[in-house]
Structures are given as C-alpha cells and as structure tokens.
Amino acid sequence: MHRLKSNLVWVALMFWVGIAQVYWQLGPHIASYSNASLHTSAYEVLKGLTLLGSDILILLLGYFLSQKSHRESTIIKSWLNTLVLGVLASVLVALCTNQLAKVTVFHTDFFNAVFPLLRNTYPLIFGSLLGLILTAVINDQRFIWRRPALISIWLLMIIPLFWTPNIWGWTSNHLTLFYALLFVLGANVKQESHHRKWLLITGLGLLITVVLQGIMPFMSIDGRTASRFTTPTNIFTILAAYGIVKMTVDHLGQPN
C-alpha cells in the first residue's frame, strides 16, 4: 500500500510537470492575456502554480538519486537515451517537413541531442545529471567547503529577486545550471520532524508568490514585466517547493 501511494504521488508529480512543460507551449487562450486585468493575473497565478511542480521534481530527484551508487553509469545511460531518441525525433521531423526546412530542423534537433549541456537543451534532464556531478563533489567528505557552497547556492537563488530580467540569464529556456544547483539543494535535504515550521514557510512562500504574480500585471507599465515572478527561479517558489519536499521525503519511496 505504501509503495502504491508513493507511485501515485510520483505519477501525479510527473503529470504536474508535464502541464508546465507542454501545456503552456501550446499557446492556450488564457496565455494571450498580457494587459492589466484579472484575466492576466489569473494566468500568471495558474502558470506559476504549474511551474512549482518542476522545482519539486528536481529537489526530489536530488534527494533520491544522490543516495544511489554508480552515478557515472546513470549519467552515461541518460545521455545515450537522449541521444538516440533525439536523433530519431530529428529524422522523423525532417521527413515530415518540406525540403527547405529539412536541413535546418535536422541540424538544430540533432545537435541539441548530441551536445545538450553546451547548447543548454533538455534542462530538466541534464540539469539533474550536472547536479549529480556537483553533488558528488560538494558532498564528498574530503570537501571542507560544503556548508559555504550550499550557502552560496542559496544566495545565487536569492539575488535574482532584485533584477529583471534574471541577472544570471536563467530564463524559461536557459535553466540547466539553475536545475543543477537546485538538484544539489535537494541532495542535501534532511528529513524534517518540525513540520509546523516548514508548513509555515511553505504557506508564506506560496502566499507571497501568488500575491506578487497577481499584482504584477497592474504594476507593469508596458506589460513586459508582468511575468517577473512567474518563473521556477522565483525564490519564493523555490522556498515553497523546498518546504513541500522537506515535509514529504519521509513518506515517499524510491521512484521506479
């Protein structure tokens, strides 16, 4: 029964992340609002809540995968799987397009699959794999700067709050490094007995995020900053996701 509940949670989480990764790329009608209106506020809040799932997933992957051995084989297998699937997808897309677009489409998708880190593609996958490498270094008992490194990561997460666009260039298509650092934070999550404290932190993080997302369309002069806080890199979103993970890791089994 426990494993069933755990698997259901993982399936629900993957569905949550899938909405964030796919649904908004389809350009639904609600995403067309960009003026100062309640419709735009509802869009920003709804999108922000879906983006929360990505942060939770990466943190949980950091917590569970960092406990596994043979990290190198995991990294190599994941890259090879992505390479094979990416090449096959490139061939299929090229065959389905006209002659003029075939070369461009094939080269773009092919090189995205071959050089995912250099081209900053598939951030959820390769952010996690890069996070595995960083975790192996930072959590090594011989590494004496572990605590300062974790504090520095938190500072890197907080600083973008004061700049728009993101000072580190972490946008919706450039999140590999961000997810790698988030993975490291997840790898250092400890099971928490003080659930009330983290329930408060999570609640405040969600409340502040929703309020900021709701009022930004009315505070944005030209509409270009309406989505300033509707991003997985928003520190309040990160805190909410971190709190949720802190309270739930002891109730989850290893993902299959």
Side-chain angles (χ1 to χ4, degrees):
M1 181 61 71
H2 176 75
R3 175 172 289 274
L4 176 61
K5 291 181 179 179
S6 175
N7 289 338
L8 287 175
V9 170
W10 283 104
V11 170
L13 181 57
M14 295 303 295
F15 180 75
W16 189 354
V17 174
I19 293 176
Q21 297 296 311
V22 177
Y23 180 69
W24 301 116
Q25 301 297 324
L26 300 177
H29 177 69
I30 190 174
S32 63
Y33 292 103
S34 59
N35 59 333
S37 67
L38 292 178
H39 287 94
T40 307
S41 295
Y43 161 63
E44 299 295 341
V45 172
L46 180 61
K47 184 178 181 179
L49 290 175
T50 62
L51 294 177
L52 177 66
S54 301
D55 286 0
I56 295 174
L57 176 64
I58 294 297
L59 287 166
L60 284 175
L61 288 177
Y63 177 79
F64 287 112
L65 293 183
S66 63
Q67 301 174 25
K68 289 181 173 291
S69 56
H70 309 298
R71 296 189 181 96
E72 296 82 1
S73 63
T74 300
I75 293 172
I76 294 173
K77 288 178 182 178
S78 299
W79 177 72
L80 288 176
N81 288 334
T82 304
L83 174 61
V84 172
L85 292 175
V87 171
L88 289 176
S90 300
V91 172
L92 290 175
V93 171
L95 292 175
C96 295
T97 55
N98 58 50
Q99 189 64 37
L100 182 62
K102 281 183 179 180
V103 176
T104 302
V105 171
F106 180 80
H107 277 75
T108 299
D109 294 338
F110 176 78
F111 287 123
N112 283 347
V114 177
F115 307 112
L117 286 178
L118 293 178
R119 293 174 66 88
N120 202 13
T121 50
Y122 315 119
L124 282 171
I125 298 174
F126 286 93
S128 299
L129 298 182
L130 180 58
L132 266 177
I133 298 173
L134 294 176
T135 299
V137 175
I138 293 175
N139 287 7
D140 192 301
Q141 293 183 350
R142 294 169 294 180
F143 187 72
I144 62 175
W145 302 102
R146 176 173 171 272
R147 184 176 176 81
L150 294 177
I151 293 175
S152 298
I153 292 175
W154 276 111
L155 289 175
L156 288 174
M157 301 290 182
I158 294 172
I159 289 174
L161 175 66
F162 305 100
W163 277 272
T164 182
N166 190 291
I167 190 174
W168 310 129
W170 293 340
T171 62
S172 58
N173 295 319
H174 300 83
L175 293 173
T176 301
L177 181 57
F178 166 74
Y179 283 139
L181 297 177
L182 197 63
F183 185 98
V184 174
L185 294 180
N188 287 274
V189 166
K190 294 180 173 58
Q191 292 187 1
E192 183 62 53
S193 59
H194 303 292
H195 282 193
R196 288 186 179 180
K197 178 184 72 175
W198 283 102
L199 183 61
L200 178 61
I201 293 174
T202 302
L204 286 175
L206 285 174
L207 177 61
I208 294 173
T209 299
V210 169
V211 170
L212 290 175
Q213 291 166 347
I215 65 175
M216 276 308 297
F218 298 96
M219 299 181 64
S220 178
I221 297 176
D222 54 8
R224 288 185 295 180
T225 58
S227 298
R228 177 175 179 178
F229 299 102
T230 310
T231 167
T233 62
N234 173 18
I235 183 58
F236 300 111
T237 299
I238 296 171
L239 282 174
Y242 191 81
I244 291 172
V245 171
K246 289 277 283 188
M247 292 185 293
T248 57
V249 289
D250 54 338
H251 300 296
L252 289 174
Q254 290 282 0
N256 293 329

